[in-house]
Amino acid sequence: MPFYTQKFFKAESFEMKITIEPYNPKWRTEFKKEQTLLLDSIEESGIRIEHIGSTSVEGLAAKPVIDIMIGINDFKTAGQHIKTIENLGYRYIPDYEDVMPCRRFFIKESNGNRTHHIHMVALDSDFWKRHLKFRDHLRVDEEDRNKYQEFKIKLAKKNWNNRDDYTDAKSEIIKKILKKVE
């Protein structure tokens, strides 16, 4: 199972290549821009918006997709924020809620390519905590960051039938790294 034994992507059958790019400081700038838009648009007190995923780790090669995690105090209010986020150019993807009912997922695309993902979850949920632990560990542990990068580059050389297969392939190394920090 992918990242923390939960699937992020519903299986889509097609052959795909994963593009891994060297770290780009524009990813941080792009996150900050989206964070400001989201904070100005979502009307709920106490939300937190974090940059997660490989693009959030300086020096780490990544798929050029900005992963954003929105943490809300009461997940029962998640539904009332969907339209607001859609109005910012994101597409709500409810398909994954049967596997991850504790997350609302959105994507933003440009020219047919994904540019951003939003994961809306409850603050202090397992999803929230594990993603931050993983990100924070890679930010300070050069050895694990390099191992993870090398593994992703190796995986990117393969052809994949769907996103689940790629995500599943990364899960073992992610679990190993998380064991160090949990």
Side-chain angles (χ1 to χ4, degrees):
M1 283 286 192
F3 209 76
Y4 319 125
T5 71
Q6 303 254 343
K7 292 196 179 222
F8 281 130
F9 300 104
K10 190 172 183 175
E12 300 171 24
S13 293
F14 55 88
E15 191 170 289
M16 61 180 277
K17 287 292 274 181
I18 301 298
T19 300
I20 302 292
E21 297 181 3
Y23 177 77
N24 189 330
K26 77 174 186 175
W27 294 335
R28 179 180 297 177
T29 304
E30 185 61 29
F31 164 73
K32 290 289 189 188
K33 177 181 142 193
E34 293 298 306
Q35 181 185 43
T36 299
L37 285 171
L38 290 161
L39 286 169
D40 289 346
S41 301
I42 297 174
E43 296 182 10
E44 181 166 324
S45 63
I47 68 166
R48 285 185 47 201
I49 300 177
E50 295 282 344
H51 189 186
I52 60 169
S54 295
T55 61
S56 71
V57 179
E58 188 172 340
L60 181 61
K63 290 185 302 179
V65 178
I66 308 299
D67 277 292
I68 299 167
M69 185 167 60
I70 300 174
I72 56 179
N73 288 313
D74 183 358
F75 193 71
K76 289 181 268 183
T77 67
Q80 69 192 37
H81 303 302
I82 292 171
K83 188 51 101 181
T84 301
I85 295 171
E86 287 178 324
N87 288 339
L88 297 174
Y90 287 86
R91 183 165 40 107
Y92 172 52
I93 310 292
D95 305 357
Y96 312 120
E97 292 170 19
D98 57 337
V99 178
M100 297 186 72
C102 63
R103 178 191 72 152
R104 298 296 172 264
F105 183 63
F106 303 81
I107 64 170
K108 186 183 263 189
E109 297 176 313
S110 176
N111 299 320
N113 294 313
R114 289 185 184 188
T115 59
H116 299 75
H117 292 157
I118 290 179
H119 311 268
M120 187 185 325
V121 299
L123 277 170
D124 296 326
S125 63
D126 285 342
F127 188 103
W128 177 267
K129 291 174 187 174
R130 287 183 179 183
H131 279 78
L132 293 180
K133 282 181 184 179
F134 186 71
R135 177 202 67 190
D136 293 347
H137 178 73
L138 291 182
R139 284 179 171 176
V140 298
D141 190 306
E142 185 176 0
E143 182 179 342
D144 281 345
R145 182 172 58 246
N146 289 338
K147 283 180 188 175
Y148 186 56
Q149 177 173 279
E150 289 168 16
F151 190 76
K152 291 188 330 170
I153 290 169
K154 179 181 164 186
L155 292 179
K157 294 176 182 174
K158 298 181 179 186
N159 289 320
W160 298 94
N161 293 324
N162 60 59
R163 286 181 173 90
D164 275 347
D165 290 346
Y166 172 74
T167 304
D168 284 347
K170 292 189 310 179
S171 66
E172 187 174 322
I173 194 168
I174 291 169
K175 287 178 189 176
K176 285 180 183 177
I177 292 170
L178 276 173
K179 282 183 181 178
K180 293 180 175 184
V181 296
E182 292 186 325

